């Protein structure tokens, strides 16, 4: 049997979570209240921002890949380069859709809808 580390309790109290943990000899118990409408909106806003950041990151990676292809295949036939660019574009669309689907799923989970 162990003891609850005192810094664990103080870290939870000091956090911005607004929790008031209770300590017994072996456990640290923190009751997590239901999310308020404002908290749900704030979390959804953060999810939307993360999704937009992911989309931008994916598109930057796509552009970097296309730039690299143009340098590497500068002497290759144009048709080969176009084919590779199309593959990169298809992958970009796939990953953007995947990021958007994850964000929608998270928003649905948070809102309970």
């Amino acid at each position: 049997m162990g003891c609850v580390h005192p810094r664990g309790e103080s870290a939870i109290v000091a956090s911005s979570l607004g929790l008031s943990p209770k300590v017994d000899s072996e456990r640290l118990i923190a009751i997590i209240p239901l999310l308020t409408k404002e908290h749900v909106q704030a979390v959804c806003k953060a999810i939307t921002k993360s999704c937009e950041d992911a989309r931008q990151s994916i598109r930057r990676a796509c552009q970097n890949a296309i730039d690299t292809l143009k340098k590497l295949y500068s002497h290759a036939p144009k048709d080969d380069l176009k084919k590779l660019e199309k593959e990169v574009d298809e992958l970009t669309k796939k990953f953007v859709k995947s990021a958007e689907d994850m964000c929608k799923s998270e928003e649905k989970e948070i809102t309970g809808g």
Side-chain angles (χ1 to χ4, degrees), residues 2-15 17 19-32:
C3 287
V4 174
H5 198 283
R7 285 190 285 183
E9 178 184 12
S10 61
I12 291 173
V13 171
S15 75
L17 299 173
L19 301 176
S20 299
K22 295 184 181 9
V23 180
D24 67 19
S25 63
E26 298 175 15
R27 298 178 292 185
L28 179 72
I29 302 168
I31 297 173
I32 301 173

Side-chain angles (χ1 to χ4, degrees), residues 5-73:
H5 198 283
R7 285 190 285 183
E9 178 184 12
S10 61
I12 291 173
V13 171
S15 75
S16 63
L17 299 173
L19 301 176
S20 299
K22 295 184 181 9
V23 180
D24 67 19
S25 63
E26 298 175 15
R27 298 178 292 185
L28 179 72
I29 302 168
I31 297 173
I32 301 173
L34 293 174
L35 291 175
T36 64
K37 184 178 179 182
E38 291 79 20
H39 282 106
V40 170
Q41 289 172 342
V43 170
C44 286
K45 185 175 180 179
I47 291 170
T48 300
K49 168 102 173 73
S50 292
C51 188
E52 183 57 34
D53 291 348
R55 279 193 294 262
Q56 289 176 0
S57 180
I58 293 166
R59 289 186 180 122
R60 276 193 303 274
C62 169
Q63 190 56 54
N64 289 339
I66 289 175
D67 292 344
T68 300
L69 286 173
K70 286 179 180 179
K71 289 177 187 173
L72 291 174
Y73 291 91

Side-chain angles (χ1 to χ4, degrees), residues 49-109:
K49 168 102 173 73
S50 292
C51 188
E52 183 57 34
D53 291 348
R55 279 193 294 262
Q56 289 176 0
S57 180
I58 293 166
R59 289 186 180 122
R60 276 193 303 274
C62 169
Q63 190 56 54
N64 289 339
I66 289 175
D67 292 344
T68 300
L69 286 173
K70 286 179 180 179
K71 289 177 187 173
L72 291 174
Y73 291 91
S74 60
H75 300 297
K78 295 272 185 193
D79 289 344
D80 291 349
L81 182 58
K82 288 292 179 190
K83 181 180 177 186
L84 291 170
E85 286 178 5
K86 183 178 179 183
E87 287 180 35
V88 170
D89 189 51
E90 288 172 7
L91 282 172
T92 301
K93 288 176 184 176
K94 175 183 170 185
F95 285 113
V96 166
K97 181 170 179 1
S98 176
E100 289 172 347
D101 290 347
M102 282 190 276
C103 291
K104 286 177 187 174
S105 173
E106 288 299 313
E107 283 182 357
K108 189 175 183 180
E109 185 176 330

